[in-house]
Coordinates of all heavy atoms in Angstrom, one line a residue:
M265 N -48.2 45.6 -186.1 CA -48.4 46.0 -184.7 C -48.4 44.7 -183.8 O -49.0 43.7 -184.2 CB -49.6 46.8 -184.5 CG -49.8 47.3 -183.1 SD -51.3 48.2 -182.8 CE -51.3 49.5 -183.9
T266 N -47.7 44.7 -182.7 CA -47.6 43.6 -181.8 C -48.4 43.9 -180.5 O -48.1 44.9 -179.9 CB -46.2 43.2 -181.5 OG1 -45.5 43.0 -182.7 CG2 -46.1 41.9 -180.7
P267 N -49.4 43.1 -180.1 CA -50.0 43.3 -178.9 C -49.1 43.0 -177.7 O -48.4 42.0 -177.7 CB -51.2 42.4 -178.9 CG -50.8 41.3 -179.9 CD -49.9 41.9 -180.8
I268 N -49.1 43.9 -176.7 CA -48.3 43.7 -175.5 C -49.1 43.9 -174.3 O -50.1 44.6 -174.3 CB -47.1 44.6 -175.5 CG1 -47.5 46.1 -175.5 CG2 -46.0 44.3 -176.6 CD1 -46.4 47.0 -175.2
S269 N -48.7 43.2 -173.2 CA -49.4 43.3 -171.9 C -49.0 44.6 -171.2 O -47.8 45.0 -171.4 CB -49.1 42.1 -171.1 OG -49.6 42.3 -169.8
D270 N -49.9 45.2 -170.5 CA -49.5 46.4 -169.7 C -49.2 46.1 -168.3 O -49.1 47.0 -167.4 CB -50.5 47.5 -169.9 CG -51.9 47.1 -169.3 OD1 -52.0 45.9 -168.9 OD2 -52.8 47.9 -169.3
T271 N -49.2 44.8 -167.9 CA -48.9 44.4 -166.6 C -47.8 43.3 -166.6 O -47.7 42.5 -167.5 CB -50.1 43.8 -165.8 OG1 -50.6 42.7 -166.6 CG2 -51.2 44.8 -165.6
P272 N -46.9 43.3 -165.6 CA -45.9 42.3 -165.6 C -46.5 40.9 -165.4 O -47.6 40.7 -164.9 CB -45.0 42.6 -164.3 CG -45.8 43.6 -163.5 CD -46.9 44.2 -164.4
S273 N -45.8 39.9 -165.9 CA -46.4 38.5 -166.0 C -46.6 38.0 -164.5 O -47.4 37.1 -164.4 CB -45.5 37.6 -166.8 OG -44.2 37.5 -166.2
T274 N -45.8 38.5 -163.6 CA -46.0 38.0 -162.2 C -47.4 38.4 -161.7 O -47.9 37.8 -160.7 CB -44.9 38.5 -161.2 OG1 -44.9 39.9 -161.4 CG2 -43.6 37.9 -161.5
M275 N -48.0 39.4 -162.3 CA -49.3 39.8 -161.8 C -50.4 39.2 -162.7 O -51.6 39.4 -162.4 CB -49.5 41.4 -162.0 CG -48.5 42.1 -161.0 SD -48.6 43.9 -161.2 CE -50.2 44.2 -160.6
N276 N -50.0 38.4 -163.7 CA -51.0 37.8 -164.6 C -51.1 36.3 -164.1 O -50.3 35.5 -164.5 CB -50.4 37.9 -166.0 CG -51.5 37.8 -167.0 OD1 -52.6 37.7 -166.7 ND2 -51.0 37.7 -168.3
K277 N -52.1 36.0 -163.3 CA -52.3 34.7 -162.8 C -52.8 33.8 -163.9 O -54.0 33.5 -163.9 CB -53.2 34.7 -161.6 CG -52.6 35.5 -160.4 CD -51.6 34.7 -159.6 CE -51.0 35.5 -158.5 NZ -51.7 35.6 -157.3
T278 N -51.9 33.3 -164.8 CA -52.4 32.5 -165.9 C -52.9 31.1 -165.4 O -53.6 30.4 -166.2 CB -51.2 32.2 -166.9 OG1 -50.0 31.9 -166.1 CG2 -50.9 33.5 -167.7
G279 N -52.7 30.8 -164.2 CA -53.3 29.5 -163.6 C -54.8 29.6 -163.6 O -55.5 28.5 -163.6
L280 N -55.4 30.8 -163.7 CA -56.9 30.9 -163.7 C -57.5 30.4 -165.0 O -58.7 30.1 -165.1 CB -57.3 32.4 -163.5 CG -56.9 33.0 -162.2 CD1 -57.2 34.5 -162.2 CD2 -57.6 32.3 -161.0
W281 N -56.6 30.2 -166.0 CA -57.1 29.7 -167.3 C -57.3 28.2 -167.3 O -57.9 27.6 -168.2 CB -56.2 30.1 -168.5 CG -55.8 31.5 -168.6 CD1 -56.4 32.6 -167.9 CD2 -54.8 32.1 -169.4 NE1 -55.8 33.8 -168.3 CE2 -54.8 33.5 -169.2 CE3 -53.9 31.6 -170.3 CZ2 -54.0 34.3 -169.9 CZ3 -53.0 32.4 -171.0 CH2 -53.1 33.8 -170.8
R282 N -56.6 27.5 -166.4 CA -56.4 26.1 -166.4 C -57.7 25.3 -166.3 O -58.5 25.5 -165.4 CB -55.4 25.7 -165.3 CG -54.9 24.3 -165.4 CD -53.9 24.1 -164.3 NE -54.5 24.2 -163.0 CZ -54.2 25.2 -162.1 NH1 -53.2 26.1 -162.4 NH2 -54.8 25.3 -161.0
V283 N -57.9 24.2 -167.1 CA -58.9 23.3 -166.9 C -58.4 21.9 -166.6 O -59.0 21.0 -166.1 CB -59.9 23.2 -168.1 CG1 -60.7 24.5 -168.2 CG2 -59.2 23.0 -169.4
I284 N -57.1 21.7 -167.1 CA -56.4 20.4 -166.7 C -55.0 20.8 -166.3 O -54.6 22.0 -166.5 CB -56.3 19.4 -167.9 CG1 -55.7 20.1 -169.1 CG2 -57.6 18.8 -168.2 CD1 -55.4 19.2 -170.3
F285 N -54.4 20.0 -165.5 CA -53.0 20.4 -165.0 C -52.1 19.2 -165.0 O -52.5 18.1 -165.1 CB -53.1 21.0 -163.6 CG -53.4 20.0 -162.6 CD1 -52.4 19.4 -161.8 CD2 -54.8 19.6 -162.3 CE1 -52.7 18.5 -160.8 CE2 -55.0 18.6 -161.4 CZ -54.0 18.1 -160.6
P286 N -50.8 19.5 -165.0 CA -49.8 18.4 -165.1 C -49.5 17.8 -163.8 O -49.4 18.4 -162.8 CB -48.5 19.2 -165.6 CG -48.7 20.6 -165.2 CD -50.2 20.9 -165.1
K287 N -49.5 16.4 -163.9 CA -49.1 15.7 -162.7 C -47.9 14.9 -163.0 O -47.8 14.1 -163.9 CB -50.3 14.7 -162.3 CG -50.2 14.0 -161.0 CD -51.5 13.2 -160.8 CE -51.4 12.5 -159.4 NZ -52.7 11.8 -159.2
V288 N -46.8 15.1 -162.2 CA -45.5 14.5 -162.4 C -45.4 13.2 -161.6 O -45.6 13.1 -160.4 CB -44.4 15.4 -162.0 CG1 -43.0 14.8 -162.3 CG2 -44.6 16.8 -162.8
D289 N -45.0 12.1 -162.3 CA -44.6 10.8 -161.7 C -43.2 10.9 -161.3 O -42.3 10.8 -162.1 CB -44.9 9.7 -162.6 CG -44.6 8.3 -162.0 OD1 -43.8 8.3 -161.0 OD2 -45.2 7.3 -162.4
E290 N -42.9 11.3 -160.0 CA -41.6 11.5 -159.6 C -40.7 10.3 -159.6 O -39.4 10.4 -159.7 CB -41.6 12.1 -158.1 CG -42.3 13.5 -158.1 CD -42.2 14.2 -156.8 OE1 -41.5 13.7 -155.9 OE2 -42.9 15.2 -156.6
E291 N -41.2 9.1 -159.6 CA -40.4 7.9 -159.6 C -39.8 7.7 -161.0 O -38.7 7.3 -161.2 CB -41.3 6.7 -159.4 CG -42.0 6.7 -158.0 CD -41.1 6.0 -157.0 OE1 -40.6 4.9 -157.3 OE2 -40.9 6.6 -155.9
K292 N -40.6 8.1 -162.1 CA -40.1 8.0 -163.4 C -39.3 9.2 -163.9 O -38.6 9.1 -165.0 CB -41.3 7.7 -164.4 CG -42.0 6.4 -164.2 CD -43.1 6.3 -165.2 CE -43.9 5.0 -165.0 NZ -45.1 5.1 -165.8
C293 N -39.4 10.3 -163.2 CA -38.7 11.5 -163.7 C -37.2 11.3 -163.7 O -36.6 10.8 -162.8 CB -39.0 12.7 -162.7 SG -38.1 14.2 -163.1
R294 N -36.6 11.7 -164.9 CA -35.1 11.6 -165.1 C -34.4 12.8 -164.6 O -33.1 12.9 -164.8 CB -34.8 11.4 -166.5 CG -35.5 10.1 -167.1 CD -35.2 10.1 -168.6 NE -35.9 9.0 -169.3 CZ -36.0 8.9 -170.6 NH1 -35.4 9.7 -171.4 NH2 -36.7 7.9 -171.1
R295 N -35.1 13.9 -164.1 CA -34.5 15.1 -163.7 C -33.6 15.8 -164.8 O -32.6 16.3 -164.5 CB -33.6 14.9 -162.4 CG -34.4 14.5 -161.2 CD -33.7 13.6 -160.2 NE -34.4 13.4 -159.0 CZ -35.4 12.6 -158.8 NH1 -35.9 11.9 -159.8 NH2 -35.9 12.4 -157.6
C296 N -34.2 15.8 -166.0 CA -33.5 16.4 -167.1 C -33.8 17.9 -167.3 O -33.1 18.5 -168.0 CB -33.9 15.6 -168.4 SG -35.6 15.8 -168.9
A297 N -34.8 18.4 -166.7 CA -35.2 19.8 -166.7 C -35.8 20.3 -168.0 O -35.9 21.5 -168.3 CB -34.1 20.7 -166.3
I298 N -36.1 19.3 -168.9 CA -36.6 19.8 -170.2 C -38.0 20.4 -170.0 O -38.3 21.5 -170.7 CB -36.7 18.6 -171.2 CG1 -35.3 18.2 -171.6 CG2 -37.6 18.9 -172.4 CD1 -35.1 17.0 -172.5
C299 N -38.8 19.9 -169.2 CA -40.1 20.5 -168.9 C -40.0 21.9 -168.4 O -40.7 22.8 -168.8 CB -40.9 19.7 -167.9 SG -40.1 19.4 -166.4
W300 N -39.0 22.1 -167.5 CA -38.7 23.5 -167.0 C -38.3 24.4 -168.1 O -38.7 25.6 -168.1 CB -37.6 23.3 -165.9 CG -37.1 24.5 -165.3 CD1 -37.6 25.3 -164.3 CD2 -35.8 25.2 -165.7 NE1 -36.8 26.4 -164.1 CE2 -35.7 26.3 -164.9 CE3 -34.8 24.9 -166.6 CZ2 -34.6 27.2 -165.0 CZ3 -33.8 25.8 -166.7 CH2 -33.7 26.9 -165.9
K301 N -37.5 24.0 -169.0 CA -37.0 24.8 -170.1 C -38.2 25.2 -171.0 O -38.2 26.3 -171.6 CB -35.9 24.1 -170.9 CG -34.6 24.1 -170.2 CD -33.5 23.4 -171.1 CE -32.3 23.1 -170.3 NZ -31.6 22.0 -170.8
F302 N -39.1 24.3 -171.3 CA -40.1 24.6 -172.3 C -41.3 25.3 -171.7 O -42.1 25.8 -172.5 CB -40.5 23.2 -172.9 CG -39.7 22.8 -174.1 CD1 -38.5 22.1 -173.9 CD2 -40.0 23.2 -175.4 CE1 -37.7 21.8 -175.0 CE2 -39.2 22.8 -176.5 CZ -38.0 22.1 -176.3
C303 N -41.6 25.3 -170.4 CA -42.8 25.9 -169.9 C -42.8 27.4 -170.3 O -42.0 28.1 -169.9 CB -42.9 25.7 -168.4 SG -44.3 26.6 -167.7
P304 N -43.9 27.8 -171.0 CA -43.9 29.2 -171.5 C -44.3 30.2 -170.4 O -44.2 31.4 -170.6 CB -45.1 29.1 -172.5 CG -45.9 28.0 -172.1 CD -45.0 27.0 -171.5
D305 N -44.7 29.7 -169.2 CA -45.1 30.6 -168.1 C -44.2 30.5 -166.9 O -44.5 31.1 -165.9 CB -46.5 30.3 -167.7 CG -47.5 30.9 -168.7 OD1 -47.5 32.2 -168.9 OD2 -48.2 30.2 -169.4
A306 N -43.0 29.9 -167.1 CA -42.1 29.7 -165.9 C -42.9 29.2 -164.7 O -42.7 29.7 -163.6 CB -41.4 31.0 -165.6
A307 N -43.8 28.2 -165.0 CA -44.6 27.7 -163.9 C -44.0 26.4 -163.3 O -44.7 25.8 -162.5 CB -46.0 27.5 -164.4
I308 N -42.8 26.1 -163.6 CA -42.2 24.9 -163.1 C -41.0 25.3 -162.3 O -40.1 26.1 -162.7 CB -41.8 23.9 -164.2 CG1 -43.0 23.4 -164.9 CG2 -41.0 22.8 -163.6 CD1 -42.8 22.5 -166.0
Q309 N -40.9 24.9 -161.0 CA -39.8 25.1 -160.2 C -39.1 23.8 -159.9 O -39.8 22.8 -159.7 CB -40.3 25.7 -158.8 CG -39.3 26.2 -157.9 CD -39.9 26.9 -156.7 OE1 -41.0 26.5 -156.3 NE2 -39.3 27.9 -156.3
L310 N -37.8 23.7 -160.0 CA -37.1 22.4 -159.8 C -36.7 22.4 -158.3 O -36.0 23.3 -157.8 CB -35.9 22.3 -160.7 CG -36.2 22.3 -162.2 CD1 -34.9 22.3 -163.0 CD2 -37.1 21.1 -162.6
V311 N -37.0 21.3 -157.7 CA -36.6 21.1 -156.3 C -35.8 19.8 -156.3 O -36.4 18.7 -156.5 CB -37.9 21.0 -155.3 CG1 -37.4 20.8 -153.9 CG2 -38.7 22.2 -155.5
D312 N -34.5 19.9 -156.0 CA -33.6 18.8 -156.2 C -33.8 18.1 -157.5 O -33.7 16.8 -157.6 CB -33.8 17.7 -155.0 CG -33.5 18.3 -153.7 OD1 -32.6 19.2 -153.6 OD2 -34.1 17.9 -152.7
G313 N -34.0 18.9 -158.6 CA -34.1 18.4 -159.9 C -35.5 17.9 -160.3 O -35.8 17.6 -161.5
V314 N -36.4 17.8 -159.3 CA -37.7 17.3 -159.6 C -38.7 18.5 -159.8 O -38.7 19.4 -159.1 CB -38.3 16.4 -158.4 CG1 -39.7 16.0 -158.7 CG2 -37.4 15.2 -158.2
P315 N -39.5 18.5 -160.9 CA -40.3 19.6 -161.2 C -41.5 19.7 -160.3 O -42.2 18.7 -160.0 CB -40.8 19.3 -162.6 CG -40.6 17.9 -162.9 CD -39.5 17.4 -162.0
H316 N -41.7 20.9 -159.8 CA -42.9 21.2 -159.0 C -43.7 22.3 -159.7 O -43.1 23.3 -160.1 CB -42.6 21.6 -157.6 CG -42.1 20.5 -156.7 ND1 -42.8 20.1 -155.6 CD2 -41.0 19.7 -156.8 CE1 -42.1 19.0 -155.1 NE2 -41.0 18.8 -155.8
I317 N -45.0 22.1 -159.9 CA -45.8 23.0 -160.6 C -46.3 24.1 -159.8 O -46.9 23.9 -158.7 CB -47.0 22.3 -161.3 CG1 -46.6 20.9 -162.0 CG2 -47.8 23.2 -162.2 CD1 -45.6 21.1 -163.1
I318 N -46.1 25.4 -160.2 CA -46.6 26.5 -159.5 C -48.0 26.8 -160.1 O -48.2 27.3 -161.2 CB -45.7 27.8 -159.7 CG1 -44.3 27.4 -159.3 CG2 -46.2 28.9 -158.9 CD1 -43.3 28.4 -159.7
L319 N -49.0 26.4 -159.3 CA -50.4 26.4 -159.9 C -51.0 27.8 -160.2 O -51.8 28.0 -161.0 CB -51.4 25.6 -159.0 CG -51.0 24.1 -158.9 CD1 -52.0 23.4 -157.9 CD2 -51.2 23.5 -160.3
D320 N -50.4 28.8 -159.5 CA -50.9 30.2 -159.8 C -50.6 30.6 -161.3 O -51.3 31.4 -161.9 CB -50.2 31.2 -158.9 CG -51.0 31.4 -157.6 OD1 -52.1 30.9 -157.5 OD2 -50.4 32.1 -156.8
F321 N -49.6 30.0 -161.9 CA -49.1 30.4 -163.2 C -49.2 29.3 -164.3 O -49.0 29.5 -165.4 CB -47.7 30.9 -163.1 CG -47.6 32.1 -162.2 CD1 -47.0 32.0 -161.0 CD2 -48.1 33.3 -162.7 CE1 -47.0 33.1 -160.2 CE2 -48.0 34.4 -161.8 CZ -47.5 34.3 -160.6
C322 N -49.5 28.0 -163.8 CA -49.6 26.9 -164.8 C -51.0 27.1 -165.5 O -52.0 27.0 -164.8 CB -49.5 25.6 -164.1 SG -50.0 24.2 -165.2
K323 N -51.0 27.3 -166.8 CA -52.2 27.5 -167.5 C -52.8 26.2 -168.1 O -53.8 26.2 -168.9 CB -52.1 28.6 -168.6 CG -51.1 28.2 -169.7 CD -50.9 29.5 -170.6 CE -49.8 29.2 -171.6 NZ -49.4 30.5 -172.3
G324 N -52.1 25.1 -167.9 CA -52.6 23.8 -168.4 C -52.4 23.5 -169.8 O -53.1 22.8 -170.4
C325 N -51.4 24.1 -170.4 CA -51.2 24.0 -171.9 C -50.7 22.6 -172.3 O -50.9 22.2 -173.5 CB -50.2 25.1 -172.4 SG -48.5 24.8 -171.8
G326 N -50.0 21.9 -171.4 CA -49.6 20.6 -171.7 C -48.2 20.5 -172.5 O -47.8 19.4 -172.9
I327 N -47.6 21.6 -172.7 CA -46.3 21.6 -173.4 C -45.3 20.7 -172.6 O -44.5 19.9 -173.2 CB -45.8 23.0 -173.6 CG1 -46.7 23.7 -174.7 CG2 -44.3 23.0 -174.1 CD1 -46.3 25.2 -174.9
C328 N -45.3 20.9 -171.3 CA -44.3 20.1 -170.5 C -44.5 18.6 -170.7 O -43.6 17.8 -170.9 CB -44.4 20.5 -169.0 SG -46.1 20.3 -168.4
A329 N -45.8 18.2 -170.7 CA -46.1 16.7 -170.8 C -45.7 16.3 -172.2 O -45.2 15.2 -172.4 CB -47.6 16.5 -170.6
N330 N -45.9 17.1 -173.2 CA -45.6 16.8 -174.6 C -44.1 16.6 -174.8 O -43.6 15.8 -175.5 CB -46.1 17.8 -175.5 CG -46.3 17.3 -176.9 OD1 -46.8 16.3 -177.1 ND2 -45.8 18.1 -177.9
E331 N -43.3 17.5 -174.1 CA -41.8 17.5 -174.3 C -41.1 16.5 -173.4 O -39.9 16.2 -173.7 CB -41.3 18.9 -174.1 CG -41.8 19.9 -175.0 CD -41.3 19.7 -176.5 OE1 -40.3 19.0 -176.7 OE2 -42.1 20.1 -177.4
C332 N -41.7 16.0 -172.4 CA -41.0 15.1 -171.4 C -40.6 13.9 -172.1 O -41.4 13.1 -172.6 CB -41.9 14.8 -170.2 SG -41.2 13.6 -169.1
P333 N -39.2 13.6 -172.1 CA -38.8 12.4 -172.8 C -39.1 11.1 -172.1 O -39.2 10.0 -172.7 CB -37.2 12.6 -172.9 CG -36.9 13.5 -171.7 CD -38.1 14.4 -171.6
A334 N -39.4 11.2 -170.8 CA -39.7 10.0 -170.0 C -41.2 9.7 -170.0 O -41.7 8.7 -169.4 CB -39.2 10.2 -168.6
K335 N -42.0 10.7 -170.6 CA -43.5 10.6 -170.6 C -44.0 10.3 -169.1 O -44.9 9.5 -168.9 CB -44.0 9.5 -171.5 CG -43.6 9.7 -173.0 CD -44.3 11.0 -173.5 CE -43.8 11.4 -174.9 NZ -43.9 12.9 -175.1
C336 N -43.5 11.1 -168.2 CA -43.9 10.9 -166.8 C -44.7 12.1 -166.3 O -44.9 12.3 -165.1 CB -42.7 10.7 -165.9 SG -41.6 12.1 -165.8
I337 N -45.2 12.9 -167.3 CA -46.1 14.0 -166.9 C -47.5 13.7 -167.6 O -47.6 13.6 -168.8 CB -45.7 15.4 -167.3 CG1 -44.3 15.7 -166.8 CG2 -46.7 16.5 -166.9 CD1 -43.7 17.0 -167.2
A338 N -48.5 13.6 -166.7 CA -49.9 13.3 -167.3 C -50.7 14.6 -167.1 O -50.6 15.3 -166.0 CB -50.5 12.2 -166.5
M339 N -51.5 14.9 -168.1 CA -52.4 16.1 -167.9 C -53.7 15.5 -167.4 O -54.4 14.7 -168.0 CB -52.6 16.7 -169.3 CG -51.3 17.4 -169.9 SD -50.5 18.5 -168.8 CE -51.7 19.9 -168.7
V340 N -54.1 15.9 -166.2 CA -55.3 15.4 -165.5 C -56.3 16.4 -165.1 O -56.0 17.6 -165.1 CB -54.8 14.6 -164.3 CG1 -53.9 13.4 -164.7 CG2 -54.2 15.5 -163.3
E341 N -57.5 15.9 -164.9 CA -58.6 16.8 -164.5 C -58.4 17.2 -163.0 O -57.7 16.5 -162.2 CB -59.9 16.1 -164.6 CG -60.2 15.5 -166.0 CD -61.0 16.5 -166.9 OE1 -61.6 17.3 -166.4 OE2 -60.9 16.3 -168.1
E342 N -59.0 18.2 -162.6 CA -58.9 18.8 -161.2 C -59.2 17.7 -160.2 O -58.4 17.5 -159.2 CB -59.9 19.9 -161.0 CG -59.7 20.7 -159.7 CD -58.4 21.5 -159.7 OE1 -57.8 21.8 -160.8 OE2 -57.9 21.7 -158.6
G343 N -60.2 16.8 -160.4 CA -60.5 15.8 -159.4 C -59.5 14.7 -159.3 O -59.5 13.9 -158.3
E344 N -58.6 14.6 -160.2 CA -57.6 13.5 -160.2 C -56.2 14.0 -159.6 O -55.3 13.3 -159.6 CB -57.3 13.1 -161.7 CG -58.5 12.5 -162.3 CD -58.2 12.2 -163.8 OE1 -57.2 11.5 -164.1 OE2 -58.9 12.7 -164.7
R345 N -56.2 15.2 -159.0 CA -55.0 15.7 -158.5 C -54.6 14.9 -157.2 O -55.3 14.4 -156.5 CB -55.2 17.2 -158.1 CG -53.9 17.8 -157.9 CD -53.9 19.3 -157.7 NE -55.0 20.1 -158.0 CZ -55.0 21.4 -157.5 NH1 -54.0 21.9 -156.8 NH2 -56.0 22.2 -157.8
Ligands
SF4_104 S1 -49.0 22.7 -168.5 FE1 -48.0 24.4 -169.6 S2 -48.0 26.1 -168.2 FE2 -48.4 24.3 -167.0 S3 -46.4 23.7 -166.2 FE3 -46.8 22.6 -168.2 S4 -45.9 23.8 -169.8 FE4 -46.1 25.1 -167.9
SF4_105 S1 -39.0 16.6 -168.6 FE1 -39.9 14.8 -167.6 S2 -38.1 13.6 -167.0 FE2 -37.4 15.6 -167.5 S3 -37.4 16.7 -165.5 FE3 -39.4 17.1 -166.5 S4 -40.8 15.5 -165.7 FE4 -38.7 14.9 -165.3

């Protein structure tokens, strides 16, 4: 048996789970979109190729930071935003 949600993911504010969040160094970003492809919550929007984090849905998992080939995403505490 596979557990499934009874609400669409747009109603599931996964950002409420977050204790750390991704901070992108736009100067170092190569605009490769790998972070965008790997984000499990579709919480990254590309604006002119630069990732912008949609905080309502970013759960702070750190996958984007781990996959970024330029290592330009840091996972930081709320006060470091
Ligand atoms: S931390 Fe996780 S949920 Fe947030 S943008 Fe990165 S991959 Fe997506
Ligand atoms: S994976 Fe890294 S280099 Fe590529 S678009 Fe995302 S932040 Fe920029």
